[in-house]
Amino acid sequence: MRRIAPYALLLLAFAPAAAQSPAPVRVVVDRAIAAMGGDSTLRAIRSVRMEVMTQWMRTSLANRPFLDYPSFERHADLRDYTTKSWRNTRSPLGAGMSIEFPVVVRDSIAVMRPFARPGTTAQWQPLSVAYVDDRRQLFAFSPERLVFTLREDPSARLLADTLIDGAAHARVAATVDGYQSVTFFRRRDGFPAMVRFLADETNDFGLAQWGLHEVEFWYSKWSAISREPGVPWLPLQRDVNRVGVPYKRMTILSLVVNAPAPADSFAISDSLVQAYLNGPAAKAMWDLSAAAVDTGTKRSPDSNFITAFPSWFGSNGAVKIGGRWMMLESGVGRGVPEKVVAWAARTTPDTPLGGVFAATQANGGLPWMLAQRHTVVASQALRPFLPAILHRPIPAGVTMVTAARWLRIGSDSVWVEPLPGGEFPGSMAIYSPTLRWLYHPAAVSPEGRAHEAALVARLAARNLPVALIGGSGRGVAVPYQAGR
């Protein structure tokens, strides 16, 4: 089951309604509190320490299974609820080496000590506000805290019951720490099953393309955390869905309530606080100062290519077509192309931003591009993602590359062609006869290289030579050599 109710129903839960007694809400929530160990047991929880195995899953909206490409990470998660402090020591698995780095969030300030390579010493540094958002959601929707928020909220409303896999669930709508949410409670035993809420994740590099979207926290494997009497029951399995599909699975290996949480575990120096408040860390992950954009943007000597934007932008670069810059991916957030426009006004006033060739899901800038009536050329591989990125059906302003053809861009034309095969069939090749440049992002496999060679041969047969090529880790434009 991918979804329980349409996205719109979460919004309808907060439509104006007649006032109702909080008693029905209290009956549902009190039963949950009793199932979890009782009022006094839960209220006594001041801190929690958990050892967690997280399985991260790549978001895939395609109708083919097994495209999630999971990666794994261990966490030592220490929370002090009384001071809104969180220390999450992360240990990604793989790469043949042991890596460990702590993240500390104290209320609204986030810092990290990165992994230090042998012979080096890592220094604490500010982190993006996205980690503050993460702490806020984890604390607000921890079930041992959520139930009291719902019980004490006079505006909480009991909605009609619903079925999940044939089992009845009560639903309570409430605003939790600013998030519009609906919490589902299992009728058979009272435990919370899931909370669904709306979150704007434009601060997060990996989530910015979804903007305001629906999030689900699922709770399962409810267990008494020890054999002693009077201990709470808490979920040892917590799963997160975003835009209707799995995002990550957190399996709790051990959990201790009221674990020692010394203040120095969450200590952040005054200088780090000021560095956070005064620097780009207090902004979205991809948001950089104008100076950083100027120094992080690279152009080729012939001035027809931007070979690199700052890496956090999520755009591969740009090509000058018909007197306009065409971005290669619009970036992770809608603010990215706005930064490119400002950069172009400062440095290339004769070449404005004209549009984007969009092939992957890292295209949170598309809503801004369409609002500004810029040219948007999208691959078939992007089609499943576009409604979630745009929050509406694909509009007529998007040119989908469904067949090989010429496209007019400003005063010039390019040849675009969908690419078959691979894990993401429907990606596209772009060829400019003016620049003798071919951008082919899917040549990393033997099949992709064979298709590239065939494409180059077809172009040559039409007297359309390839001198420069980009994509597949080769950058935006490098000299083309057959067989490489």
Side-chain angles (χ1 to χ4, degrees):
M1 179 190 65
R2 175 172 286 188
R3 302 183 63 77
I4 296 170
Y7 171 89
L9 289 184
L10 183 53
L11 296 176
L12 288 175
F14 291 88
Q20 67 172 45
S21 167
V25 171
R26 183 146 190 155
V27 169
V28 170
V29 177
D30 279 351
R31 184 171 181 234
I33 291 172
M36 294 167 63
D39 188 291
S40 59
T41 297
L42 295 185
R43 286 195 183 277
I45 298 176
R46 301 178 302 278
S47 65
V48 172
R49 187 183 72 238
M50 296 179 286
E51 296 292 330
V52 185
M53 178 66 75
T54 295
Q55 176 180 335
W56 296 92
M57 288 166 280
R58 182 178 63 182
T59 304
S60 173
L61 299 178
N63 290 321
R64 288 169 293 142
F66 315 124
L67 290 177
D68 53 335
Y69 277 178
S71 60
F72 297 88
E73 184 174 336
R74 288 194 66 145
H75 302 257
D77 183 322
L78 177 62
R79 307 177 184 185
D80 184 343
Y81 290 137
T82 64
T83 60
K84 298 182 180 179
S85 297
W86 180 41
R87 185 184 182 96
N88 183 31
T89 302
R90 304 177 60 177
S91 302
L93 303 181
M97 58 182 176
S98 177
I99 298 175
E100 182 177 285
F101 56 93
V103 171
V104 172
V105 183
R106 195 179 68 206
D107 195 358
S108 58
I109 305 293
V111 298
M112 177 187 72
R113 188 179 65 205
F115 168 69
R117 297 192 177 278
T120 65
T121 301
Q123 301 296 323
W124 287 90
Q125 62 189 40
L127 268 181
S128 166
V129 68
Y131 289 85
V132 175
D133 298 339
D134 196 15
R135 195 277 310 159
R136 181 176 158 219
Q137 291 175 16
L138 289 173
F139 280 36
F141 295 110
S142 292
E144 66 270 24
R145 296 167 56 81
L146 175 62
V147 286
F148 290 112
T149 301
L150 297 179
R151 189 171 73 175
E152 295 162 6
D153 182 0
S155 65
R157 294 192 292 133
L158 189 67
L159 307 179
D161 280 14
T162 192
L163 297 178
I164 300 177
D165 200 22
H169 286 68
R171 298 185 300 154
V172 175
T175 300
V176 178
D177 199 8
Y179 295 103
Q180 293 181 350
S181 71
V182 175
T183 303
F184 294 65
F185 294 87
R186 302 190 317 216
R187 282 293 191 186
R188 70 175 186 271
D189 57 17
F191 284 119
M194 180 263 284
V195 59
R196 176 182 293 154
F197 60 96
L198 294 177
D200 186 348
E201 299 288 8
T202 52
N203 291 325
D204 191 302
F205 177 80
L207 300 172
Q209 66 266 30
W210 313 125
L212 180 67
H213 67 279
E214 191 175 273
V215 186
E216 295 173 349
F217 284 10
W218 287 81
Y219 313 113
S220 56
K221 198 180 177 183
W222 286 88
S223 306
I225 62 171
S226 77
R227 296 179 180 275
E228 299 175 8
V231 300
W233 282 63
L234 296 173
L236 300 185
Q237 184 71 49
R238 307 184 188 192
D239 294 85
V240 180
N241 282 8
R242 292 184 181 272
V243 291
V245 297
Y247 174 67
K248 65 178 176 179
R249 159 163 284 193
M250 296 173 287
T251 301
I252 298 173
L253 306 177
S254 67
L255 188 154
V256 178
V257 299
N258 294 327
D264 59 1
S265 295
F266 313 105
I268 302 176
S269 67
D270 292 342
S271 60
L272 270 176
V273 171
Q274 288 305 310
Y276 175 89
L277 296 174
N278 297 333
K283 303 177 183 178
M285 283 183 176
W286 50 264
D287 197 0
L288 302 166
S289 68
V293 175
D294 288 341
T295 57
T297 302
K298 309 298 181 185
R299 296 180 63 189
S300 65
D302 65 6
S303 77
N304 288 311
F305 301 96
I306 298 172
T307 57
F309 284 121
S311 59
W312 285 106
F313 273 17
S315 174
N316 297 332
V319 57
K320 188 187 296 185
I321 303 289
R324 308 175 184 179
W325 288 119
M326 291 289 293
M327 295 177 67
L328 301 169
E329 317 299 353
S330 66
V332 296
R334 64 183 301 137
V336 170
E338 293 184 75
K339 292 273 187 180
V340 174
V341 166
W343 170 87
R346 292 191 302 272
T347 59
T348 63
D350 59 326
T351 310
L353 179 64
V356 60
F357 295 110
T360 72
Q361 71 186 61
N363 268 288
L366 289 183
W368 185 91
M369 287 280 196
L370 289 169
Q372 300 300 312
R373 300 185 181 276
H374 287 307
T375 300
V376 174
V377 182
S379 73
Q380 281 288 88
L382 186 57
R383 183 182 289 276
F385 299 91
L386 281 173
I389 292 171
L390 301 176
H391 295 169
R392 56 172 169 152
I394 301 173
V398 176
T399 300
M400 300 298 305
V401 178
T402 58
R405 62 182 175 124
W406 288 102
L407 283 180
R408 192 75 179 172
I409 306 289
S411 59
D412 205 348
S413 295
V414 295
W415 178 259
V416 291
E417 182 173 326
L419 302 175
E423 290 191 3
F424 297 98
S427 186
M428 64 180 169
I430 307 155
Y431 174 73
S432 165
T434 303
L435 302 173
R436 298 193 300 171
W437 168 76
L438 173 65
Y439 190 79
H440 181 258
V444 294
S445 65
E447 178 189 11
R449 289 193 293 271
H451 179 71
E452 178 184 279
L455 176 57
V456 170
R458 289 198 306 274
L459 291 170
R462 299 167 60 187
N463 198 28
L464 297 171
V466 175
L468 298 170
I469 196 164
S472 301
R474 292 174 294 200
V476 172
V478 297
Y480 175 67
Q481 296 179 348
R484 294 189 61 184

